[in-house]
């Protein structure tokens, strides 16, 4: 009987595939690691996983992570001598209507963008690969030859053996009961076999993770859902290397197993499990089979695989799994507790993600940062609504039910709404606002006019709001519009060392007089852009920081963790205190001047400045800034004044053509002006010099700042990728992820796409890559095409904004 060690640099809690993969990779990196499993390895949810391994996702780095899993599963058996059941037998995806076929073709282009092979097949070619299926209703199919399937328990045991071979210690039947935390610092884990001192904890406890982490103030938004699949007896004529099959229009998936079939799916009315908590002693346990609930899926499957009608049913497995509100997994260091890492909520693709997630977590623990940008899976993408388990469950039920439904462009969730509302919500609703939602906030996306219904109708073509957004866009360019941007995240940094701290964290210079406004990035040590925000100096020792709605948790965490030790300043989240009305357009000054005595002339209130002005008894912090390429102000004001100030602006703006406008117009306007969006165009994998934002980096002086050395190196030596703008004359819908070809060679993909109503063209942004270096001339000398849904279309490249306001030139 082994004795539990007294200490380990890292302790992993949970012995499923993600925990064992993390242990394997930490051990490979030479990190002392101890894995503790309360029962037996795989006994939580891994043992009953279906084991399909697909790679393609809508995000390049998540696709890369899943591709890493495939590479690992190709080699782990030879490394450890343990069988894994891994077969790279490829994966088929069917399309049974024209909209789905468009989606599949766009996925094939995304695959090409990310360097994966995805072949488009005729129904007959698909049936040749999967002869058991009926293809009467199939329009086409996609085949990815490097997808496959694995035995979840076997592959986990192989990872565990590989971890031990490299020095990791693994203890089964050892329950972690508590953490020892002193002044916010993890000191040890407490188990039923004793105390283990440690520096870091990695929680990979699956559906148990939320409850355990909550005891220490850490929020992990996941809930348990029942998930069923059927295993048949052997079926006559079953091919040995049958690809995995996904039939999203029938909500089902299939894989071959011991001469029979595994068939499961994602029903639109899923059943949450353990609403009042997971029962004690739940391990190696399945739920009662629910044949009535499974029957609709079975009927759909029979139409695809007639052999199921006569096949014997061996089991109907019903196992709970953890799902998240947005269908992506949760990874990273918890913002609430340093050195507490999470890998959980794998939404029934834990086997596909397990290898890569373990690699990413291991590198995150060892190096203090992930190997690449994992924002779409980062635990910091969540926020205040996600503390409420009932809200999380409501949204997760919807996300589960959409697992195989069409992934429409611009699709919004409908559950758990409204949650967070601006004071103007009802006013704008009455004026025809069609709302979207981000981090719980209701935000006007567009406004319906007379005879229009404020409701999105989804398609892969121009959607029903296209003309309405065009009206708002035109009003912003020619008159003025008012955006309700109350959902902006807003922070206050106060204290005698606030300036010193911010000037270290910010790439741009914030050492400016009170009243100055600075647009800046915050960089990591590789020069990558971690935050993209606006900072107003409102006092000698106080700064007002504004960032995007969805980045509230992330950016607060980045700023707070990078304030140098010993500096005296405090960061506060004041998002809920202030409403924000953005008044934009060439007539914005006329309208603003009509409601305030303050001087808002260009001389009295220049671009890049801020001051407090009075409107109808309200002290308004006005920021002269724009994200749409027009004269404008963001008006930040206490929430209780919002309806009063809004009414005053609307009244004053009537004679100037002022209109309400929403976030879809903002996106269209910013694309024409060339403004970047964090999380799409820029992020931790992109630097200011690559993104055309080098002008906002303070390299001219000797001021030290985080990421300076990397930024200086690129300024001196050049870059290997550079952001460019692309326009198409054809009526092509650009959404992002379309492949960029330069002189016939694939050089990248679009990071964002949309339509510019002023220039009357489809617009996309993306990075042109070349390992030998990229310059502005290199970009402009190329001949470009974009691949859209597998079709190449000619496009024009640009390195300057497509549109610039005629009235007052603005830098950037």
């Amino acid at each position: 009987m082994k004795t539990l060690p007294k200490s380990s640099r890292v302790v992993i809690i949970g012995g499923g595939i993600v925990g064992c993969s993390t242990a394997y990779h930490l051990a490979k990196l030479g990190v002392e690691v101890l894995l503790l499993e309360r029962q037996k390895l795989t006994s939580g949810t891994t043992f009953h996983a279906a084991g399909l391994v697909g790679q393609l996702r809508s995000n390049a780095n998540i696709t890369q992570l899943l591709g890493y899993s495939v590479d690992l599963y190709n080699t782990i058996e030879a490394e450890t001598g343990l069988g894994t059941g891994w077969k790279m037998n490829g994966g088929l995806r069917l399309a049974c209507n024209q909209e789905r076929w468009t989606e599949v073709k766009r996925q094939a282009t995304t695959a090409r963008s990310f360097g994966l092979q995805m072949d488009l097949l005729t129904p007959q070619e698909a049936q040749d690969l999967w002869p058991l299926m009926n293809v009467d209703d199939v329009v086409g199919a996609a085949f990815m030859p490097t997808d496959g399937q694995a035995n979840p328990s076997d592959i986990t045991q192989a990872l565990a053996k590989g971890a031990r071979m490299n020095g990791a210690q693994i203890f089964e039947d050892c329950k972690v009961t508590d953490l020892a935390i002193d002044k916010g610092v993890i000191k040890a884990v407490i188990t039923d076999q004793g105390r283990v001192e440690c520096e870091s904890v990695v929680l990979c406890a699956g559906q148990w993770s939320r409850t355990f982490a909550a005891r220490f103030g850490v929020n992990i938004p996941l809930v348990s859902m029942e998930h069923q699949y059927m295993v048949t007896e052997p079926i006559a004529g079953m091919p040995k290397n049958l690809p995995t099959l996904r039939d999203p229009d029938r909500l089902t998936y299939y894989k071959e197993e011991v001469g029979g079939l595994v068939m499961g799916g994602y029903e639109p009315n899923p059943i949450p499990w353990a609403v009042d908590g997971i029962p004690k002693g739940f391990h190696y346990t399945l739920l009662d089979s629910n044949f009535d609930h499974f029957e609709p899926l079975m009927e759909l499957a029979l139409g695809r695989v007639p052999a199921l009608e006569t096949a014997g049913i061996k089991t109907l497995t019903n196992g709970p799994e953890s799902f998240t509100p947005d269908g992506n997994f949760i990874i990273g260091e918890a913002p609430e507790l340093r050195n507490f890492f999470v890998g959980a909520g794998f939404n029934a693709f834990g086997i596909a993600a397990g290898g890569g997630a373990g690699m990413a977590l291991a590198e995150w623990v060892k190096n203090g940062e992930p190997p690449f940008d994992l924002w779409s899976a980062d635990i910091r993408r969540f926020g205040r609504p996600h503390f409420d388990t009932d809200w999380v469950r409501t949204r997760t039920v919807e996300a589960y039910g959409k697992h195989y439904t069409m992934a429409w462009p611009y699709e919004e969730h409908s559950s758990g709404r409204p949650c967070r509302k601006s004071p103007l919500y009802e006013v704008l609703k009455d004026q025809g606002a069609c709302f979207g939602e981000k981090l719980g906030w209701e935000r006007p996306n567009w406004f319906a006019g007379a005879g229009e219904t404020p409701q999105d109708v989804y398609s892969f073509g121009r959607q029903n709001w296209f003309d309405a957004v065009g009206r708002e866009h035109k009003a912003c360019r020619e008159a003025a519009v008012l955006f309700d941007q109350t959902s902006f995240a807003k922070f206050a940094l106060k204290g005698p060392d606030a300036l010193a701290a911010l000037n270290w964290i910010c790439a741009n210079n914030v050492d400016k007089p009170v009243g100055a406004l600075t647009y800046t990035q915050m960089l990591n040590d590789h020069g990558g852009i971690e935050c993209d925000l606006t900072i107003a100096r409102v006092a000698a020792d106080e700064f007002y920081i504004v960032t995007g709605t969805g980045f509230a948790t992330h950016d607060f965490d980045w700023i707070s963790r990078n304030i140098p030790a010993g500096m005296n300043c405090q960061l506060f989240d004041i998002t809920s205190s202030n409403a924000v009305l953005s008044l934009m357009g060439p007539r914005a000054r006329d309208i603003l001047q009509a409601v305030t005595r303050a001087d808002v002339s260009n001389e009295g209130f220049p671009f890049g400045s801020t001051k407090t002005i009075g409107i109808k008894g309200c002290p308004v912090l006005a920021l002269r800034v724009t994200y749409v390429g027009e004269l404008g102000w963001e008006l930040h004001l206490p929430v209780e004044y919002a309806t009063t100030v809004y009414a005053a602006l609307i009244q004053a703006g009537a004679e100037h053509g002022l209109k309400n406008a929403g976030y879809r117009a903002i996106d269209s306007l910013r694309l024409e002006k060339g403004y970047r969006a964090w999380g799409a165009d820029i992020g931790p994998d992109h630097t200011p010099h690559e993104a055309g934002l080098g002008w906002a980096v303070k390299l001219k002086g000797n001021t030290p700042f985080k990421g300076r050395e990397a930024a200086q190196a690129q300024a001196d030596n050049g870059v290997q990728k550079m952001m460019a703008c692309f326009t198409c004359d054809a009526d092509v819908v650009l959404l992002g992820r379309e492949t960029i070809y330069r002189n016939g060679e694939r050089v990248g993909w679009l990071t964002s796409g949309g339509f510019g109503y002023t220039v009357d063209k489809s617009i996309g942004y993306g990075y042109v890559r070349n390992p030998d270096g990229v310059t502005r001339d290199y970009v402009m000398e190329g001949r470009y095409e974009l691949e859209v849904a597998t079709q190449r279309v000619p496009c024009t490249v640009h390195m300057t904004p497509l549109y610039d306001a005629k009235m007052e030139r603005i830098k950037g």
Side-chain angles (χ1 to χ4, degrees):
M1 188 74 180
K2 292 191 298 182
T3 303
L4 195 67
K6 297 293 184 187
S7 67
S8 177
R9 180 183 162 189
V10 180
V11 173
I12 298 170
I13 303 172
I17 190 167
V18 179
C20 288
S21 177
T22 305
Y24 170 86
H25 287 94
L26 279 168
K28 284 268 192 178
L29 291 170
V31 176
E32 182 187 33
V33 58
L34 168 68
L35 185 149
L36 303 176
E37 164 55 48
R38 68 192 178 99
Q39 298 289 344
K40 303 295 183 186
L41 297 185
T42 78
S43 67
T45 58
T46 295
F47 80 94
H48 62 69
L52 279 69
V53 178
Q55 297 167 82
L56 182 63
R57 293 294 185 273
S58 60
N59 176 280
N61 286 355
I62 301 299
T63 298
Q64 180 181 341
L65 183 144
L66 298 176
Y68 177 90
S69 292
V70 168
D71 293 340
L72 177 64
Y73 300 163
N74 274 325
T75 60
I76 191 74
E77 184 169 336
E79 179 184 341
T80 63
L82 289 184
T84 61
W86 167 246
K87 293 195 298 185
M88 191 191 281
N89 48 350
L92 263 176
R93 179 177 288 263
L94 304 182
C96 300
N97 55 64
Q98 287 302 325
E99 291 278 32
R100 181 73 74 178
W101 185 229
T102 299
E103 179 189 55
V104 166
K105 288 190 289 185
R106 283 191 173 268
Q107 288 171 336
T109 288
T110 298
R112 198 130 46 229
S113 291
F114 300 164
L116 289 173
Q117 178 184 346
M118 182 183 260
D119 303 319
L120 294 184
L121 308 180
T122 65
Q124 184 58 57
E125 289 170 332
Q127 191 177 42
D128 290 344
L129 283 174
W130 225 90
L132 293 176
M133 70 171 165
N134 169 27
V135 294
D136 288 351
D137 62 337
V138 175
V139 175
F143 180 63
M144 189 168 286
T146 53
D147 280 357
Q149 64 188 68
N151 182 303
S153 294
D154 289 350
I155 211 153
T156 302
Q157 293 292 348
L159 288 165
K161 183 176 180 182
R164 292 189 189 99
M165 289 166 60
N166 286 282
Q169 295 191 70
I170 296 178
F171 280 74
E172 298 177 297
D173 301 307
C174 182
K175 182 179 181 181
V176 175
T177 58
D178 205 355
L179 300 182
I181 300 171
D182 182 25
K183 296 175 182 174
V185 178
I186 293 173
K187 296 294 186 181
V189 298
I190 312 300
T191 80
D192 55 7
Q193 296 179 26
R195 176 185 174 107
V196 181
E197 308 287 327
C198 64
E199 297 176 14
S200 300
V201 168
V202 186
L203 182 64
C204 302
Q207 61 185 344
W208 290 267
S209 298
R210 179 170 176 82
T211 302
F212 181 84
R215 293 165 51 192
F216 313 104
V218 173
N219 184 34
I220 305 177
L222 58 81
V223 292
S224 301
M225 307 288 290
E226 294 188 16
H227 185 70
Q228 296 193 106
Y229 63 81
M230 180 183 73
V231 183
T232 75
E233 300 286 357
I235 296 173
M238 174 70 67
K240 286 291 182 191
N241 283 315
L242 202 68
T244 61
L245 175 68
R246 291 170 180 82
D247 186 5
D249 291 308
R250 291 176 181 262
L251 308 177
T252 49
Y253 61 79
Y254 307 80
K255 75 164 188 173
E256 182 271 332
E257 185 164 292
V258 200
L261 276 181
V262 170
M263 185 281 285
Y266 293 87
E267 64 275 22
N269 56 336
I271 301 175
W273 182 71
V275 173
D276 297 318
I278 299 171
K280 286 188 175 180
F282 189 87
H283 64 280
Y284 273 140
T285 307
L286 294 170
L287 308 179
D288 292 339
S289 301
N290 189 335
F291 284 92
D292 288 342
H293 196 71
F294 194 72
E295 187 177 5
L297 290 180
M298 188 67 191
E299 289 177 359
L300 289 167
L302 287 172
R304 178 68 60 224
V305 187
L308 288 174
E309 197 149 359
T310 55
I313 298 176
K314 191 183 292 183
T315 58
L316 179 60
T317 299
N318 187 0
E321 298 198 34
S322 55
F323 287 79
T324 65
D326 61 4
N328 214 339
F329 56 90
I330 301 172
I331 194 171
E333 185 177 4
E336 303 94 344
L337 180 61
R338 295 286 171 262
N339 292 324
F340 185 89
F341 295 84
V342 176
F346 280 85
N347 299 278
F349 65 98
I351 309 306
M359 173 275 292
L361 267 174
E363 294 204 18
W364 211 325
V365 171
K366 182 177 188 290
N367 303 324
E369 60 185 4
F372 39 74
D373 177 17
L374 290 170
W375 168 243
S376 64
D378 194 309
I379 191 170
R380 294 170 294 178
R381 72 189 189 272
F382 297 112
R384 290 179 178 173
H386 301 97
F387 283 92
D388 176 31
T389 302
D390 290 334
W391 191 91
V392 170
R393 185 176 293 109
T394 298
R395 175 58 55 84
T396 302
V397 165
E398 181 185 6
Y400 179 107
K402 286 181 172 178
H403 193 92
Y404 274 166
T405 59
M406 204 82 71
W408 297 112
Y410 307 103
E411 186 174 9
E412 294 280 352
H413 289 294
S414 58
S415 58
R417 296 177 58 185
C419 178
R420 306 171 82 178
K421 296 189 292 186
S422 154
L424 296 168
Y425 174 78
E426 297 295 344
V427 174
L428 298 178
K429 187 177 180 182
D430 289 343
Q431 298 194 33
C434 180
F435 291 92
E437 178 262 337
K438 181 165 281 190
L439 212 61
W441 281 100
E442 293 293 322
R443 314 191 314 168
N445 275 340
W446 59 280
F447 286 81
E452 295 174 340
T453 303
Q455 184 175 340
D456 290 334
V457 178
Y458 299 122
S459 78
F460 283 100
R462 300 290 182 210
Q463 297 189 4
N464 67 312
W465 43 262
F466 184 77
D467 291 340
V469 172
R471 293 194 300 267
E472 296 167 24
H473 181 116
K474 180 180 170 69
C476 185
R477 291 279 184 250
E478 298 179 0
V481 294
L482 204 52
F483 301 107
D484 180 3
Q485 297 192 278
T486 298
S487 66
F488 270 153
K490 295 153 291 237
F491 312 140
L493 184 70
K494 303 181 182 183
D497 294 325
L499 171 61
L502 266 188
N503 231 22
W504 163 252
I505 304 170
C506 293
N508 208 346
N509 180 30
V510 296
D511 189 1
K512 297 174 182 175
V514 173
L517 187 64
T518 305
Y519 166 68
T520 185
Q521 288 87 47
M522 295 176 172
L523 310 182
N524 57 37
D525 291 335
H526 309 288
I529 301 170
E530 292 285 349
C531 308
D532 179 72
L533 32 72
T534 304
I535 298 177
R537 191 170 191 180
V538 294
D541 61 351
E542 182 177 349
F543 293 84
Y544 183 76
I545 302 169
V546 185
T547 190
T549 305
F551 315 136
T553 306
H554 175 278
D555 288 9
F556 189 93
D557 177 66
W558 183 263
I559 296 168
S560 59
R561 72 164 55 226
N562 284 293
I563 295 172
M567 285 198 177
N568 182 5
C569 56
Q570 293 76 43
L571 184 67
F572 303 93
D573 186 336
I574 56 172
T575 298
S576 298
S577 301
N578 286 350
V580 181
L581 291 170
S582 295
L583 177 65
M584 300 285 159
R587 306 304 298 272
R589 178 176 287 116
D590 300 326
I591 297 166
L592 188 59
Q593 193 65 79
V595 296
T596 182
R597 286 185 173 273
D599 180 3
V600 297
S601 68
N602 196 45
E603 297 73 25
F605 202 150
F607 183 79
S609 66
T610 178
K611 61 182 176 183
T612 300
I613 64 175
I615 301 176
K616 291 288 184 180
C618 173
V620 176
L621 179 65
L623 280 55
R624 173 87 189 276
V625 66
T626 181
Y627 189 56
V628 296
E630 297 291 345
L631 169 70
W633 285 265
E634 286 176 15
L635 306 175
H636 294 246
L637 50 137
V639 290
E640 65 269 26
Y641 290 99
T643 53
T644 300
V645 172
Y646 172 83
L649 290 167
I650 289 293
Q651 183 178 356
E655 64 181 281
H656 300 288
L658 179 66
K659 290 186 181 300
N660 290 306
Y663 273 81
R664 300 248 167 90
I666 291 174
D667 197 49
S668 169
L669 292 156
R670 72 97 184 168
L671 286 170
E672 288 188 338
K673 182 61 182 129
Y675 290 129
R676 282 49 168 149
W678 195 91
D681 306 315
I682 54 176
D685 291 346
H686 310 300
T687 69
H689 287 95
E690 294 166 346
L693 298 171
W695 58 269
V697 182
K698 53 179 182 250
L699 290 178
K700 289 181 181 174
N702 295 316
T703 307
F705 62 91
K706 187 172 178 65
R708 180 183 179 113
E709 291 74 15
Q712 187 68 60
Q714 284 198 336
D716 295 341
N717 303 320
V719 297
Q720 293 177 309
K721 65 180 179 185
M722 189 173 286
M723 172 153 278
C725 172
F726 302 89
T727 56
C728 295
D729 291 323
D731 187 23
V732 173
V733 177
L734 299 180
L735 300 170
R737 301 184 299 280
E738 292 84 359
T739 317
I740 304 168
Y741 291 90
R742 180 185 184 273
N743 298 340
E745 305 251 326
R746 179 172 63 89
V747 294
W749 61 88
L750 296 188
T751 51
S752 59
F755 188 80
Y757 294 86
T758 306
V759 299
D760 195 31
K761 294 180 188 300
S762 290
I763 304 171
Y765 284 86
Y767 290 89
V768 175
R769 292 164 165 81
N770 180 16
D772 296 326
V774 178
T775 64
R776 187 187 181 98
D777 287 344
Y778 175 87
V779 173
M780 293 303 296
E781 288 163 3
R783 176 181 55 82
Y784 292 89
E785 297 169 294
L786 296 175
E787 182 183 314
V788 183
T790 72
Q791 299 297 311
R792 291 199 195 183
V793 296
C795 63
T796 304
V797 69
H798 311 265
M799 292 298 287
T800 55
L802 299 173
Y803 172 85
D804 203 354
K806 301 287 191 297
M807 36 185 311
E808 294 171 29
R809 299 289 173 181
I810 49 176
K811 292 180 180 177

